Amino acid sequence: MNLINTFFNMQVLADSLPQLLWGLVVTLQIGVTSILCGLAGGLFLAIARLYAPAFFKLLIRIYIDIFRSIPLLVLLIVVYYALPFVGIRLSPFLSAVTALSLVSAAYTAEIFRAGIEAIPHGQFEASAALGLSNKDTMIDVILPQAIRIVIPPLTNNCINVMKDTALASVVAMPDLLKQATQAQALSANPTPLIGAAIIYVMLLWPMVAIVARLEKHFARGKR
Amino acid sequence: MSASMSTSSSPSAPSIISIRDLKKAYGTFTVLHGIDLDIAEGEVVCVIGPSGSGKSTLIRCINHLEAFSPDSTITVDGIRVAPGKALAKVRAEVGMVFQSFNLFPHMTVLKNVMLAPMRVRGTTKTEAERKARDLLARVGIAEQAEKYPGQLSGGQQQRVAIARALAMEPRVLLFDEPTSSLDPEMVGEVLDVMRKLAGTGVTMIIVTHEMGFARQVADRVIFMDGGRLVEAGTPARIFDNPAEERTRNFLRAVLNH
Ligand SMILES: Nc1ncnc2c1ncn2[C@@H]1O[C@H](COP(=O)(O)OP(=O)(O)OP(=O)(O)O)[C@@H](O)[C@H]1O
Ligand SMILES: [Mg+2]
């Protein structure tokens, strides 16, 4: 009984719920913005890496490797606490979105590259022989085929971005985790943290389940 | 025009493709050792030769699917084949049919044929569809228009690929062993389509191992070996009276089994 009162205190939960839901809204704003920016950036990088001059290809590869190596928390703290020293002062929201997008774009670029490389070379040759431009080749021929391949890993990446939004609480962003820790401090009870954990799971579980189904579906479609 | 060259066609017809000193190397390995060749408008040329002799490489240079030495020149209808803006023009005039079909698997047969005219020529959708259905009827697969390539037999897929190339109304058609990956019973239907095409005035360059077809359809047969154009002539001359030892050996090997 005591345990339930401590960890699942209904009164505390009811009191903190509005605050938690506000936090959820902020988490979704950071997550969705970062996912969209990461997708656009990643697609751009993947295609530029295919067609750009060698020097830019190298730059893109270096970008991708760096942003896949750097711990997100470190990047976020650099963006928020270090950049002001060179005059770049980003709000907590922009800091979080910038850090998440930079990293997500690197991963997304790799996912798209793998998807594009999985398309048989003959598809590029047939398109070229017909006189299609690089742009039309991508839009009409390559990407529609690559999308089947990249959807499961892209969804996985979205899940990771959503999870990583919790790091935004370290730059004073009132996201779900931050709201929960504040509510916990206020009520001297950990129930809001449990509530936040449950909300994270409810948000991401469906996406995890979708990835599993998609992977099974595409694995079957292959043969 | 270099009418004196042994490989040029009858001097009366203007040449639509002109190849001068075509060289191509992969690193230090030379695949084409300087090939000269003129092809007349409407001519049907079959290219034969042993595996690895550079037949595919030769025709893939014509639409610049393979880059070649900058000292070499290829012109198609007066346009120089080189990377850049003019290449789009060349490719619009030069269709290609591959050994492995290379149809777009995510589009219906009809869409496969409609795509390039709409994107490259700016043909309207209605017009592109009308023409696509027309072409599919010409290659004998009108009733497969709504299917996906994966649902067709190899012979049907290759006929779609021919229709797709024809949809651009090319002046030149390149074929790289179009029947080599087909089951034997489907070779005939594809060769039939090509035989009909040969009478329509489109210029055709066909890499093939089908000697009977070459003899029957070609205006000129070209024998390649070791990255060189060894000899060229009418089918009767090449098949019945080859001048070169290497040609004789090759023909003996392929015709005797
Ligand atoms: N990408 C490549 N890298 C290195 N060598 C290559 C490459 N592509 C082709 N070659 C070589 O170039 C030579 C000519 O090849 P090509 O495909 O033109 O021959 P082919 O006459 O078409 O032969 P086949 O009848 O087997 O199709 C071969 O020796 C081949 O090994
Ligand atoms: Mg070949």
Side-chain angles (χ1 to χ4, degrees), chain B residues 26 29 31 49-58 176-177 207 209:
Chain B
Y26 289 106
F29 179 61
V31 181
S51 182
S53 57
K55 308 180 297 292
S56 299
T57 309
L58 169 66
D176 193 358
E177 300 196 29
V207 175
H209 292 299

Side-chain angles (χ1 to χ4, degrees), chain A residues 158-182:
Chain A
C158 292
I159 293 170
N160 287 334
V161 173
M162 271 297 174
K163 282 183 186 169
D164 289 343
T165 55
L167 291 172
S169 55
V170 304
V171 293
M173 194 65 206
D175 75 323
L176 179 52
L177 178 60
K178 186 79 182 172
Q179 297 283 16
T181 51
Q182 279 175 351

Side-chain angles (χ1 to χ4, degrees), chain A residues 104-120:
Chain A
S104 176
Y107 281 99
T108 307
E110 277 300 274
I111 292 169
F112 274 118
R113 184 184 63 82
I116 291 170
E117 276 179 5
I119 306 301

